[in-house]
Amino acid sequence: MSEANILTKKERVIVYVDGFNLYFGMLDAGFDYCKWLNINLLVNNLLQNNQTLVEIKYFTSRVSNNPEKQKRQNTYLEALESVGVNIYYGNYQSDKLECRRCGNIWPTYNEKMTDVNIATQILIDAFQDKYDMAMLISGDSDLVPPIKSVHEIFKNKRVFVAFPPKRHNQSVALMAKGSLTIGRKKLVDSQFALEVTKRDGYILKKPKDWEV
């Protein structure tokens, strides 16, 4: 490879998005108005000139037992697919929360398998040499082991972490090779238009509950 080619070669990037970690981070930060987030646009706003985007993988679970939330989520996921985001699903499991003092029981719901799915994809893609840098959008400390494994096994690859708002995690930051926290301006500048046209011509509209 010539010196010119070495100088112009761009760093290949695959992005792994922990959907729930990002969503609840925005809510905790008071950024409710940023839910209609174009992940593809956000990622391109985060990338450097010497980097090229290979793929975006978005990890989530379908909500259940709430038709209105399910409808909003379906609309959003279809909008993401319309801009080339690939979606990977975990499980949304029901559970019970019991008050020891009063004996009352409330139903709760927990997302399962997202961290496992992300870890699996990051390692598979590294073994198949699909990226030079993995950009992880999450602050979940359960992802420290796969980050460590990539750096130990693949000396020429790195995992960079873009923390969602209110989701900075020191153990993740220490293991990553570079990190930042996604700020409000990046989120505001990376919103979908009010209407998103799918490839088949169908028009998706921003959920009314998400309008400011």
Side-chain angles (χ1 to χ4, degrees):
M1 183 179 290
S2 68
E3 183 178 350
N5 287 335
I6 293 173
L7 291 174
T8 58
K9 184 180 179 182
K10 291 194 173 185
E11 187 177 43
R12 299 168 299 153
V13 180
I14 295 183
V15 182
Y16 305 82
V17 184
D18 183 338
F20 275 70
N21 199 269
L22 174 58
Y23 177 82
F24 287 108
M26 291 192 300
L27 292 191
D28 288 349
F31 302 155
D32 303 50
Y33 47 86
C34 294
K35 293 177 183 177
W36 193 230
L37 180 64
N38 183 335
I39 299 293
N40 186 293
L41 182 54
L42 173 66
V43 166
N44 278 284
N45 285 337
L46 292 173
L47 291 180
Q48 303 298 312
N49 291 333
N50 66 333
Q51 296 174 323
T52 183
L53 178 62
V54 175
E55 186 178 359
I56 300 173
K57 299 187 176 187
Y58 183 88
F59 300 81
T60 189
S61 299
R62 288 196 177 274
V63 299
S64 57
N65 297 319
N66 188 316
E68 288 303 313
K69 283 186 178 181
Q70 287 173 257
K71 183 179 179 180
R72 291 194 295 269
Q73 185 189 43
N74 287 340
T75 299
Y76 181 61
L77 294 178
E78 288 185 38
L80 289 182
E81 289 178 321
S82 77
V83 292
V85 175
N86 295 317
I87 301 175
Y88 294 75
Y89 293 99
N91 297 320
Y92 199 62
Q93 296 181 347
S94 61
D95 204 347
K96 294 178 181 179
L97 184 65
E98 182 176 357
C99 176
R100 294 182 180 179
R101 298 181 66 181
C102 66
N104 286 336
I105 297 176
W106 296 271
T108 61
Y109 300 91
N110 296 302
E111 186 203 13
K112 301 292 184 182
M113 288 181 62
T114 285
D115 52 350
V116 174
N117 288 340
I118 292 175
T120 300
Q121 289 298 313
I122 284 181
L123 289 169
I124 287 175
D125 291 342
F127 274 105
Q128 295 180 348
D129 191 27
K130 290 185 176 180
Y131 64 77
D132 303 307
M133 184 186 92
M135 178 185 288
L136 174 63
I137 300 181
S138 179
D140 189 345
S141 60
D142 288 341
L143 293 169
V144 166
I147 295 172
K148 181 180 179 182
S149 295
V150 169
H151 292 159
E152 288 180 346
I153 300 170
F154 305 96
K155 304 300 184 183
N156 61 337
K157 300 187 186 301
R158 66 187 180 112
V159 180
F160 179 94
V161 177
F163 290 107
K166 297 291 186 180
R167 288 297 181 270
H168 183 273
N169 184 291
Q170 190 64 15
S171 62
V172 176
L174 288 172
M175 190 57 62
K177 290 186 178 179
S179 67
L180 59 78
T181 296
I182 301 170
R184 187 191 70 85
K185 188 175 188 306
K186 290 290 186 186
L187 297 171
V188 171
D189 290 346
S190 304
Q191 297 293 301
F192 281 113
L194 293 178
E195 293 185 350
V196 176
T197 303
K198 294 176 60 177
R199 292 169 187 172
D200 62 4
Y202 183 82
I203 296 176
L204 301 165
K205 295 183 179 180
K206 182 177 181 179
K208 289 190 178 297
D209 287 0
W210 290 3
E211 293 180 8
V212 178

mmCIF file of all heavy atoms in Angstrom, residues 138-158:
data_model
loop_
_atom_site.group_PDB
_atom_site.id
_atom_site.type_symbol
_atom_site.label_atom_id
_atom_site.label_comp_id
_atom_site.label_asym_id
_atom_site.label_seq_id
_atom_site.Cartn_x
_atom_site.Cartn_y
_atom_site.Cartn_z
ATOM 1 N N SER A 138 -24.038 3.694 24.832
ATOM 2 C CA SER A 138 -24.578 3.069 26.045
ATOM 3 C C SER A 138 -23.679 3.405 27.223
ATOM 4 O O SER A 138 -22.495 3.685 27.043
ATOM 5 C CB SER A 138 -24.663 1.544 25.888
ATOM 6 O OG SER A 138 -25.150 0.936 27.065
ATOM 7 N N GLY A 139 -24.257 3.330 28.418
ATOM 8 C CA GLY A 139 -23.456 3.486 29.633
ATOM 9 C C GLY A 139 -23.586 2.263 30.519
ATOM 10 O O GLY A 139 -23.308 2.334 31.721
ATOM 11 N N ASP A 140 -23.979 1.139 29.942
ATOM 12 C CA ASP A 140 -24.213 -0.085 30.696
ATOM 13 C C ASP A 140 -22.890 -0.768 31.052
ATOM 14 O O ASP A 140 -22.147 -1.198 30.164
ATOM 15 C CB ASP A 140 -25.095 -1.028 29.865
ATOM 16 C CG ASP A 140 -25.571 -2.245 30.647
ATOM 17 O OD1 ASP A 140 -25.018 -2.534 31.728
ATOM 18 O OD2 ASP A 140 -26.504 -2.916 30.169
ATOM 19 N N SER A 141 -22.612 -0.903 32.345
ATOM 20 C CA SER A 141 -21.347 -1.512 32.782
ATOM 21 C C SER A 141 -21.262 -2.993 32.433
ATOM 22 O O SER A 141 -20.162 -3.564 32.443
ATOM 23 C CB SER A 141 -21.164 -1.321 34.292
ATOM 24 O OG SER A 141 -22.217 -1.931 35.010
ATOM 25 N N ASP A 142 -22.384 -3.634 32.106
ATOM 26 C CA ASP A 142 -22.347 -5.040 31.686
ATOM 27 C C ASP A 142 -21.589 -5.213 30.376
ATOM 28 O O ASP A 142 -21.238 -6.337 30.001
ATOM 29 C CB ASP A 142 -23.766 -5.591 31.508
ATOM 30 C CG ASP A 142 -24.479 -5.809 32.842
ATOM 31 O OD1 ASP A 142 -23.782 -5.888 33.874
ATOM 32 O OD2 ASP A 142 -25.719 -5.911 32.854
ATOM 33 N N LEU A 143 -21.329 -4.117 29.679
ATOM 34 C CA LEU A 143 -20.631 -4.194 28.393
ATOM 35 C C LEU A 143 -19.114 -4.025 28.533
ATOM 36 O O LEU A 143 -18.394 -4.054 27.544
ATOM 37 C CB LEU A 143 -21.195 -3.141 27.440
ATOM 38 C CG LEU A 143 -22.653 -3.414 27.035
ATOM 39 C CD1 LEU A 143 -23.246 -2.213 26.302
ATOM 40 C CD2 LEU A 143 -22.753 -4.661 26.172
ATOM 41 N N VAL A 144 -18.629 -3.884 29.768
ATOM 42 C CA VAL A 144 -17.181 -3.801 29.987
ATOM 43 C C VAL A 144 -16.453 -5.059 29.492
ATOM 44 O O VAL A 144 -15.423 -4.938 28.815
ATOM 45 C CB VAL A 144 -16.868 -3.524 31.476
ATOM 46 C CG1 VAL A 144 -15.392 -3.766 31.776
ATOM 47 C CG2 VAL A 144 -17.249 -2.088 31.836
ATOM 48 N N PRO A 145 -16.933 -6.284 29.794
ATOM 49 C CA PRO A 145 -16.211 -7.483 29.325
ATOM 50 C C PRO A 145 -16.014 -7.561 27.812
ATOM 51 O O PRO A 145 -14.892 -7.841 27.364
ATOM 52 C CB PRO A 145 -17.070 -8.640 29.858
ATOM 53 C CG PRO A 145 -17.725 -8.076 31.075
ATOM 54 C CD PRO A 145 -18.032 -6.660 30.714
ATOM 55 N N PRO A 146 -17.052 -7.331 26.987
ATOM 56 C CA PRO A 146 -16.789 -7.388 25.543
ATOM 57 C C PRO A 146 -15.867 -6.281 25.048
ATOM 58 O O PRO A 146 -15.079 -6.500 24.125
ATOM 59 C CB PRO A 146 -18.185 -7.265 24.912
ATOM 60 C CG PRO A 146 -19.050 -6.681 25.971
ATOM 61 C CD PRO A 146 -18.496 -7.200 27.251
ATOM 62 N N ILE A 147 -15.931 -5.105 25.673
ATOM 63 C CA ILE A 147 -15.004 -4.029 25.303
ATOM 64 C C ILE A 147 -13.570 -4.472 25.588
ATOM 65 O O ILE A 147 -12.664 -4.325 24.752
ATOM 66 C CB ILE A 147 -15.318 -2.734 26.080
ATOM 67 C CG1 ILE A 147 -16.688 -2.182 25.705
ATOM 68 C CG2 ILE A 147 -14.241 -1.672 25.805
ATOM 69 C CD1 ILE A 147 -17.137 -1.010 26.568
ATOM 70 N N LYS A 148 -13.370 -5.039 26.768
ATOM 71 C CA LYS A 148 -12.043 -5.530 27.164
ATOM 72 C C LYS A 148 -11.564 -6.615 26.207
ATOM 73 O O LYS A 148 -10.388 -6.630 25.801
ATOM 74 C CB LYS A 148 -12.104 -6.071 28.594
ATOM 75 C CG LYS A 148 -10.771 -6.573 29.116
ATOM 76 C CD LYS A 148 -10.911 -7.092 30.543
ATOM 77 C CE LYS A 148 -9.583 -7.613 31.078
ATOM 78 N NZ LYS A 148 -9.717 -8.174 32.455
ATOM 79 N N SER A 149 -12.451 -7.521 25.826
ATOM 80 C CA SER A 149 -12.083 -8.625 24.931
ATOM 81 C C SER A 149 -11.642 -8.119 23.565
ATOM 82 O O SER A 149 -10.657 -8.614 23.001
ATOM 83 C CB SER A 149 -13.266 -9.592 24.772
ATOM 84 O OG SER A 149 -13.565 -10.219 25.999
ATOM 85 N N VAL A 150 -12.359 -7.150 23.023
ATOM 86 C CA VAL A 150 -11.974 -6.596 21.722
ATOM 87 C C VAL A 150 -10.570 -6.010 21.797
ATOM 88 O O VAL A 150 -9.723 -6.260 20.927
ATOM 89 C CB VAL A 150 -12.988 -5.513 21.269
ATOM 90 C CG1 VAL A 150 -12.430 -4.745 20.063
ATOM 91 C CG2 VAL A 150 -14.327 -6.133 20.912
ATOM 92 N N HIS A 151 -10.284 -5.261 22.838
ATOM 93 C CA HIS A 151 -8.973 -4.613 22.951
ATOM 94 C C HIS A 151 -7.849 -5.615 23.208
ATOM 95 O O HIS A 151 -6.714 -5.391 22.778
ATOM 96 C CB HIS A 151 -9.009 -3.567 24.068
ATOM 97 C CG HIS A 151 -9.884 -2.394 23.739
ATOM 98 N ND1 HIS A 151 -10.408 -1.553 24.694
ATOM 99 C CD2 HIS A 151 -10.340 -1.934 22.546
ATOM 100 C CE1 HIS A 151 -11.136 -0.623 24.103
ATOM 101 N NE2 HIS A 151 -11.117 -0.831 22.815
ATOM 102 N N GLU A 152 -8.162 -6.706 23.893
ATOM 103 C CA GLU A 152 -7.134 -7.714 24.169
ATOM 104 C C GLU A 152 -6.839 -8.587 22.946
ATOM 105 O O GLU A 152 -5.692 -8.954 22.699
ATOM 106 C CB GLU A 152 -7.571 -8.598 25.338
ATOM 107 C CG GLU A 152 -7.516 -7.895 26.695
ATOM 108 C CD GLU A 152 -7.964 -8.790 27.836
ATOM 109 O OE1 GLU A 152 -8.572 -9.848 27.559
ATOM 110 O OE2 GLU A 152 -7.707 -8.434 29.004
ATOM 111 N N ILE A 153 -7.879 -8.915 22.187
ATOM 112 C CA ILE A 153 -7.720 -9.848 21.062
ATOM 113 C C ILE A 153 -7.330 -9.132 19.774
ATOM 114 O O ILE A 153 -6.524 -9.633 18.997
ATOM 115 C CB ILE A 153 -9.019 -10.654 20.848
ATOM 116 C CG1 ILE A 153 -9.353 -11.462 22.108
ATOM 117 C CG2 ILE A 153 -8.884 -11.584 19.646
ATOM 118 C CD1 ILE A 153 -10.732 -12.107 22.076
ATOM 119 N N PHE A 154 -7.891 -7.953 19.558
ATOM 120 C CA PHE A 154 -7.683 -7.227 18.303
ATOM 121 C C PHE A 154 -6.948 -5.918 18.594
ATOM 122 O O PHE A 154 -7.564 -4.888 18.865
ATOM 123 C CB PHE A 154 -9.032 -6.953 17.623
ATOM 124 C CG PHE A 154 -9.846 -8.199 17.406
ATOM 125 C CD1 PHE A 154 -10.833 -8.559 18.321
ATOM 126 C CD2 PHE A 154 -9.616 -9.020 16.312
ATOM 127 C CE1 PHE A 154 -11.582 -9.706 18.127
ATOM 128 C CE2 PHE A 154 -10.367 -10.174 16.120
ATOM 129 C CZ PHE A 154 -11.345 -10.515 17.036
ATOM 130 N N LYS A 155 -5.648 -5.976 18.534
ATOM 131 C CA LYS A 155 -4.831 -4.820 18.918
ATOM 132 C C LYS A 155 -5.018 -3.623 17.985
ATOM 133 O O LYS A 155 -4.728 -2.482 18.374
ATOM 134 C CB LYS A 155 -3.349 -5.216 18.937
ATOM 135 C CG LYS A 155 -3.032 -6.408 19.837
ATOM 136 C CD LYS A 155 -3.413 -6.120 21.298
ATOM 137 C CE LYS A 155 -3.005 -7.284 22.197
ATOM 138 N NZ LYS A 155 -3.425 -7.081 23.603
ATOM 139 N N ASN A 156 -5.493 -3.875 16.758
ATOM 140 C CA ASN A 156 -5.664 -2.791 15.798
ATOM 141 C C ASN A 156 -7.100 -2.260 15.755
ATOM 142 O O ASN A 156 -7.448 -1.480 14.877
ATOM 143 C CB ASN A 156 -5.264 -3.261 14.393
ATOM 144 C CG ASN A 156 -6.123 -4.424 13.910
ATOM 145 O OD1 ASN A 156 -6.696 -5.150 14.727
ATOM 146 N ND2 ASN A 156 -6.206 -4.613 12.601
ATOM 147 N N LYS A 157 -7.934 -2.690 16.693
ATOM 148 C CA LYS A 157 -9.321 -2.219 16.754
ATOM 149 C C LYS A 157 -9.566 -1.530 18.098
ATOM 150 O O LYS A 157 -8.856 -1.772 19.064
ATOM 151 C CB LYS A 157 -10.307 -3.380 16.575
ATOM 152 C CG LYS A 157 -10.149 -4.100 15.243
ATOM 153 C CD LYS A 157 -11.238 -5.126 15.042
ATOM 154 C CE LYS A 157 -10.981 -5.946 13.785
ATOM 155 N NZ LYS A 157 -10.907 -5.120 12.565
ATOM 156 N N ARG A 158 -10.597 -0.686 18.121
ATOM 157 C CA ARG A 158 -10.912 -0.010 19.369
ATOM 158 C C ARG A 158 -12.411 0.164 19.527
ATOM 159 O O ARG A 158 -13.154 0.197 18.545
ATOM 160 C CB ARG A 158 -10.231 1.358 19.436
ATOM 161 C CG ARG A 158 -10.729 2.386 18.422
ATOM 162 C CD ARG A 158 -9.877 3.643 18.450
ATOM 163 N NE ARG A 158 -10.307 4.662 17.495
ATOM 164 C CZ ARG A 158 -10.845 5.837 17.835
ATOM 165 N NH1 ARG A 158 -11.024 6.142 19.116
ATOM 166 N NH2 ARG A 158 -11.192 6.722 16.910
#
